[in-house]
Amino acid sequence: MRIPCPYCGARDAHEFAYLGDATLTRPDPAAADAADRFHDYVYLRDNPAGRHQEWWYHANGCRQWLRLTRDTRTHAIEAAEPARRDATQADMPGAAS
Amino acid sequence: MADRSPHDPLAGIAFDRVPPAGAYGVTGEPGIVVSTAEEPFIALVAARNGFGASVAERLGRAFGGPGLDRPHAGFGSGSTVVGIGPGRFLVLSRAEADLPGTLRAVLGTEAAITGQSDAFVLFDLSGARVPDLLAKGAPVDLDPRVFPVGDAATTLVAHIGATLWRSGETGWRVLVARSFEASFTRFLLGAGAEYGLRLEGRG
């Protein structure tokens, strides 16, 4: 699988490290059901067949985190955007304005 | 220096020592010449949030190149600026002994600057067969048709983290962490033996 890094261009997946689901939000630790929510947040993962948003780290390249939209059945990559956006990245392809 | 066996160019060389200068692989005119290059002063520039484009432009004006925040190597007289990540640049210089000081004067508070002269070894590879050699180790398309002079890539070469760029029609440079010098040189000799490789001595 080749991943289209917004800075480096298309690179082999073995340059990257995979983190996982990019749609999770850390729960509020002060909530009454915080223990249950954290259990879900830390351990429980969906295993979707199809579109999946996920974090990848370009460890052996530009050392930036990417948010990738990938089809888990075909490995087709729909979008790759930098996880961190600021003015230094505004003119990069794939960066949202 | 003695010529070495084309069948096993590394025979008899301790794996943890930088191999000696000499001719390796097939005999005759070498397809590849390797030396450690003479731009010994190196610094890392990391632009502060929002200053990537401005830092790139200032570096281009002061040290050469187009001044863009891209994986690209810009060449000045005795200096090189290489983009290694968004807002991240390596600046190499032949003569600026106080490179961090010069960079601070150029960039002010727009970037964090770290001297890295001791961190890397800069390999200078020349010859028509260099892309064939590097293709054995780098998972990047280095064909001269798609990787023009000035293109740069931070990637792996033979599983060793490296920043490489094309410095001329048949000239390439590879920056490798200093502790990998022996391993990386062994890769060059093994992979380059079939083209004939001359390793020049340290200057």
Side-chain angles (χ1 to χ4, degrees), chain A residues 2 7 11-12 14-15 60-62 64 84 86-89 91-93, chain B residues 48-52 69-71 83-86 139-140 153-156:
Chain A
R2 283 171 76 76
Y7 182 83
R11 292 294 182 85
D12 195 273
H14 89 246
E15 288 189 6
N60 290 300
C62 58
Q64 303 293 306
R84 191 183 64 163
D86 61 28
T88 63
Q89 294 163 323
D91 63 340
M92 290 198 331
Chain B
R48 299 196 194 281
N49 207 0
F51 288 101
D69 193 0
R70 303 255 166 216
I84 58 168
V140 179
T154 298
T155 181
L156 294 166

Side-chain angles (χ1 to χ4, degrees), chain B residues 133-168:
Chain B
L133 183 161
L134 290 175
K136 296 184 189 184
V140 179
D141 189 353
L142 300 175
D143 188 294
R145 286 169 294 187
V146 296
F147 201 89
V149 174
D151 263 16
T154 298
T155 181
L156 294 166
V157 180
H159 304 278
I160 295 169
T163 295
L164 58 91
W165 62 95
R166 198 170 157 213
S167 54

Side-chain angles (χ1 to χ4, degrees), chain B residues 46-74:
Chain B
R48 299 196 194 281
N49 207 0
F51 288 101
S54 163
V55 165
E57 200 195 318
R58 284 167 191 265
L59 289 177
R61 240 183 289 137
F63 294 93
L68 297 171
D69 193 0
R70 303 255 166 216
H72 186 275

Side-chain angles (χ1 to χ4, degrees), chain A residues 4 50-53 67-71 75-80:
Chain A
R51 204 161 179 266
H52 191 226
Q53 287 222 334
R67 181 199 290 268
L68 218 67
T69 310
R70 178 178 66 103
D71 190 312
H75 295 313
I77 293 168
E78 193 182 308

Side-chain angles (χ1 to χ4, degrees), chain B residues 80-137:
Chain B
T80 307
V81 180
V82 188
I84 58 168
R88 301 283 187 281
F89 307 88
L90 283 170
V91 180
L92 296 88
S93 168
R94 199 174 295 157
E96 292 275 2
D98 182 22
L99 188 57
T102 309
L103 285 164
R104 266 179 216 111
V106 170
L107 300 171
T109 57
E110 291 191 359
I113 293 148
T114 320
Q116 296 284 358
S117 299
D118 295 331
F120 298 105
V121 168
L122 179 61
F123 286 90
D124 191 290
L125 281 58
S126 63
R129 305 308 298 271
V130 174
D132 300 314
L133 183 161
L134 290 175
K136 296 184 189 184

